[in-house]
Amino acid sequence: MKVRITCVVCLRRGVYRLVRLAVQFGADARLIDVLQELAKDCRYARKPWQRPPGKYDPKCGARFEDVEAATRPAEDVPP
């Protein structure tokens, strides 16, 4: 099984094998921690000690493409 990561800001893309991510980060790793580690070299990523980006500052837009697509409601379903 593969996991796709995309960025909506800089258009970077990556595909990772889930088994390799589990070995590298541990089976109990939180998704947000894995994502931050994989996107740590993004020019828009902030370090924990840096101030958060302002309203108009670009932010790292890295996200798990498949997870987000699975949690999005279908467009034809009424609210």
Side-chain angles (χ1 to χ4, degrees):
M1 178 179 230
K2 295 182 182 179
V3 176
R4 295 181 293 172
I5 296 176
T6 59
C7 178
V8 296
V9 177
C10 67
L11 305 179
R12 289 175 48 182
R13 300 177 66 88
V15 178
Y16 300 89
R17 291 186 174 273
L18 188 58
V19 172
R20 291 188 70 194
L21 290 177
V23 169
Q24 183 176 356
F25 296 103
D28 296 332
R30 296 182 326 155
L31 288 177
I32 190 66
D33 295 335
V34 173
L35 185 62
Q36 286 178 346
E37 184 64 27
L38 293 174
K40 71 181 176 185
D41 61 342
C42 174
R43 63 182 173 170
Y44 300 117
R46 304 287 178 158
K47 306 292 186 236
W49 60 85
Q50 291 178 320
R51 70 172 180 81
K55 182 177 180 179
Y56 298 106
D57 292 334
K59 302 170 186 78
C60 180
R63 59 195 53 172
F64 289 104
E65 186 174 321
D66 301 317
V67 173
E68 183 177 303
T71 58
R72 231 183 276 148
E75 294 178 12
D76 60 346
V77 176

